[in-house]
Coordinates of all heavy atoms in Angstrom, one line a residue:
H95 N 87.5 99.0 97.2 CA 87.9 97.6 97.1 C 87.3 96.8 98.3 O 87.4 97.3 99.4 CB 89.4 97.4 97.1 CG 90.1 98.2 96.1 ND1 90.4 97.7 94.9 CD2 90.4 99.5 96.0 CE1 91.0 98.6 94.1 NE2 91.0 99.7 94.8
Y96 N 86.7 95.7 98.0 CA 86.1 94.9 99.1 C 86.9 93.7 99.3 O 87.4 93.0 98.4 CB 84.7 94.5 98.7 CG 83.8 95.7 98.5 CD1 83.6 96.4 97.3 CD2 83.1 96.3 99.6 CE1 82.8 97.5 97.1 CE2 82.3 97.4 99.5 CZ 82.2 98.0 98.2 OH 81.4 99.1 98.1
A97 N 87.0 93.3 100.6 CA 87.8 92.1 101.0 C 87.2 91.5 102.2 O 86.6 92.2 103.0 CB 89.3 92.5 101.3
S98 N 87.4 90.3 102.4 CA 86.9 89.6 103.6 C 87.6 90.1 104.8 O 88.7 90.5 104.8 CB 87.1 88.1 103.4 OG 86.9 87.4 104.7
S99 N 86.9 90.1 105.9 CA 87.5 90.6 107.2 C 88.6 89.7 107.7 O 89.3 90.1 108.6 CB 86.4 90.8 108.2 OG 85.8 89.6 108.6
D100 N 88.7 88.5 107.2 CA 89.7 87.6 107.6 C 91.0 87.6 106.7 O 91.8 86.8 106.8 CB 89.2 86.2 107.8 CG 88.7 85.5 106.5 OD1 88.7 86.2 105.5 OD2 88.4 84.3 106.6
C101 N 91.0 88.6 105.7 CA 92.2 88.7 104.9 C 93.4 89.3 105.7 O 93.2 89.8 106.7 CB 91.9 89.5 103.6 SG 91.6 91.2 103.9
H102 N 94.5 89.2 105.1 CA 95.7 89.7 105.8 C 96.7 90.3 104.8 O 96.6 90.0 103.6 CB 96.4 88.6 106.7 CG 96.9 87.4 105.8 ND1 96.0 86.4 105.4 CD2 98.1 87.1 105.3 CE1 96.7 85.5 104.7 NE2 97.9 86.0 104.6
Y103 N 97.6 91.1 105.3 CA 98.6 91.7 104.5 C 99.7 90.7 104.1 O 100.1 89.9 104.9 CB 99.2 92.9 105.3 CG 100.4 93.6 104.5 CD1 100.1 94.5 103.5 CD2 101.7 93.2 104.8 CE1 101.1 95.1 102.8 CE2 102.7 93.8 104.0 CZ 102.4 94.8 103.1 OH 103.4 95.4 102.4
R140 N 89.2 100.8 105.8 CA 88.0 101.2 106.5 C 87.1 100.0 106.7 O 86.8 99.3 105.8 CB 87.2 102.2 105.8 CG 87.9 103.5 105.5 CD 88.1 104.3 106.8 NE 88.7 105.6 106.5 CZ 90.0 105.8 106.3 NH1 90.9 104.9 106.4 NH2 90.5 107.0 106.1
D141 N 86.7 99.7 107.9 CA 85.7 98.6 108.2 C 84.3 99.2 107.8 O 83.8 100.1 108.4 CB 85.8 98.3 109.7 CG 84.9 97.1 110.0 OD1 84.6 96.3 109.1 OD2 84.5 97.0 111.2
V142 N 83.7 98.5 106.9 CA 82.4 98.9 106.4 C 81.3 98.2 107.2 O 80.3 98.8 107.7 CB 82.2 98.7 104.9 CG1 80.8 99.0 104.5 CG2 83.2 99.4 104.1
R143 N 81.4 96.9 107.4 CA 80.5 96.1 108.1 C 81.1 94.8 108.5 O 82.0 94.3 107.8 CB 79.3 95.8 107.2 CG 78.2 95.0 107.9 CD 77.0 94.8 106.9 NE 77.4 93.9 105.9 CZ 76.7 93.6 104.9 NH1 75.5 94.1 104.7 NH2 77.1 92.7 104.0
G144 N 80.8 94.3 109.6 CA 81.3 93.0 110.1 C 82.5 93.2 111.0 O 82.6 94.2 111.7
N145 N 83.4 92.2 111.1 CA 84.5 92.2 112.0 C 85.6 93.1 111.4 O 85.8 93.1 110.2 CB 85.0 90.8 112.2 CG 84.0 89.9 112.8 OD1 83.2 90.4 113.7 ND2 84.0 88.7 112.4
Q146 N 86.3 93.8 112.3 CA 87.4 94.6 111.8 C 88.6 93.8 111.3 O 88.9 92.8 111.9 CB 87.9 95.5 112.9 CG 88.9 96.5 112.4 CD 89.2 97.6 113.4 OE1 88.6 97.7 114.5 NE2 90.2 98.5 113.1
A147 N 89.1 94.1 110.1 CA 90.1 93.3 109.5 C 91.5 93.6 110.2 O 91.7 94.6 110.8 CB 90.2 93.7 108.0
M148 N 92.4 92.7 109.9 CA 93.7 92.8 110.5 C 94.7 93.3 109.5 O 95.9 93.0 109.5 CB 94.2 91.5 111.1 CG 93.3 91.0 112.2 SD 93.2 92.2 113.6 CE 94.8 92.3 114.1
L149 N 94.3 94.1 108.5 CA 95.2 94.7 107.5 C 96.1 95.7 108.2 O 97.0 96.1 108.1 CB 94.4 95.3 106.4 CG 93.7 94.4 105.5 CD1 92.9 95.2 104.4 CD2 94.7 93.5 104.7

Side-chain angles (χ1 to χ4, degrees):
H95 302 265
Y96 296 92
S98 170
S99 63
D100 64 353
C101 68
H102 60 278
Y103 177 80
R140 301 287 186 276
D141 184 27
V142 177
R143 183 178 69 182
N145 298 325
Q146 187 168 354
M148 297 306 296
L149 289 177

